[in-house]
Amino acid sequence: MPPIDSSPVVLILWALLGYLAGSIPFGMVLARVMGLGNLRDIGSGNIGATNVLRTGNKKAAALTLLFDAAKGAVVVLLARALAGEAAAQLAALAAMLGHCFPVWLKFNGGKGVATFLGIMLALAWPVGIGCCLAWLVAVAATRVSSMGALAAASVSTMLMVILNFGHMLILGIALTVLLYVRHHANIQRIKAGTEPKIGQKK
């Protein structure tokens, strides 16, 4: 855990900003703007890039992935630059919570994978790259997006220890648990062999 180098008021402010940034549903916004319909009525009903891809629009899916990652990364980098490491880690957790439980969508948001990867890259780029590689390898091997998410989450804390980012470990554990909780239904389908592959309509 990093030293508390900001006042409680500053930490609360960055937590709020992190939540608000994370809660922007870029998938739904892009689907509307690009005439793809309401994501809640498509595929799994999720607001992330994987479900956007089920519309058949690869550009929209790629932009969703990019923007969902960027919103986590940007708020972390700003918090670190302006208020220190503790604020950055708090903003990171808040951004994930905002994506997963946005107030605008009745607290029913996405799984948080892209935002998680953006956060990891911003907090500690070696860990972030390792998580991205784990995601790519798992997805390439299985063509199942949730397998990539679970792989990235699983290696994140191990990489923090190996690469000497132990001050992030509590946050890493919290984000990993959150990702697993958000993927509970996916895990059950993986066990049952019914989890859809990337691009497959659900």
Side-chain angles (χ1 to χ4, degrees), residues 49-101:
T50 299
N51 200 45
V52 175
L53 187 59
R54 292 191 179 104
T55 66
N57 193 313
K58 294 180 179 179
K59 180 180 178 181
L63 288 174
T64 300
L65 181 67
L66 177 63
F67 289 157
D68 279 349
K71 69 185 181 183
V74 168
V75 74
V76 165
L77 293 173
L78 286 175
R80 176 180 280 162
L82 298 175
E85 186 64 23
Q89 291 198 27
L90 187 58
L93 178 60
M96 273 291 288
L97 292 172
H99 180 84
C100 295
F101 309 106

Side-chain angles (χ1 to χ4, degrees), residues 5-192:
D5 46 10
S6 297
S7 70
V9 173
V10 170
L11 292 176
I12 291 171
L13 175 62
W14 280 107
L16 178 60
L17 290 174
Y19 178 85
L20 291 175
S23 68
I24 301 172
F26 281 114
M28 295 192 74
V29 172
L30 287 167
R32 290 286 191 183
V33 170
M34 300 176 78
L36 305 177
N38 186 351
L39 279 184
R40 293 304 194 192
D41 300 326
I42 297 169
S44 64
N46 192 265
I47 65 172
T50 299
N51 200 45
V52 175
L53 187 59
R54 292 191 179 104
T55 66
N57 193 313
K58 294 180 179 179
K59 180 180 178 181
L63 288 174
T64 300
L65 181 67
L66 177 63
F67 289 157
D68 279 349
K71 69 185 181 183
V74 168
V75 74
V76 165
L77 293 173
L78 286 175
R80 176 180 280 162
L82 298 175
E85 186 64 23
Q89 291 198 27
L90 187 58
L93 178 60
M96 273 291 288
L97 292 172
H99 180 84
C100 295
F101 309 106
V103 63
W104 335 107
L105 301 179
K106 299 180 179 179
F107 303 102
N108 182 22
K111 303 292 178 67
V113 184
T115 304
F116 170 80
L117 293 176
I119 285 169
M120 288 295 108
L121 287 167
L123 281 174
W125 65 264
V127 175
I129 289 176
C131 291
C132 289
L133 289 174
W135 185 88
L136 286 170
V137 169
V139 169
T142 64
R143 290 189 61 241
V144 175
S145 179
S146 55
M147 287 295 289
L150 297 172
S154 297
V155 304
S156 61
T157 50
M158 178 182 68
L159 289 172
M160 288 175 191
V161 173
I162 293 173
L163 300 175
N164 199 29
F165 289 96
H167 65 283
M168 292 172 43
L169 195 55
I170 294 176
L171 173 64
I173 292 171
L175 295 180
T176 296
V177 170
L178 180 56
L179 272 176
Y180 266 78
V181 169
R182 295 298 290 169
H183 283 81
H184 172 74
N186 303 83
I187 293 171
Q188 297 305 312
R189 289 193 294 269
I190 288 171
K191 290 179 178 179

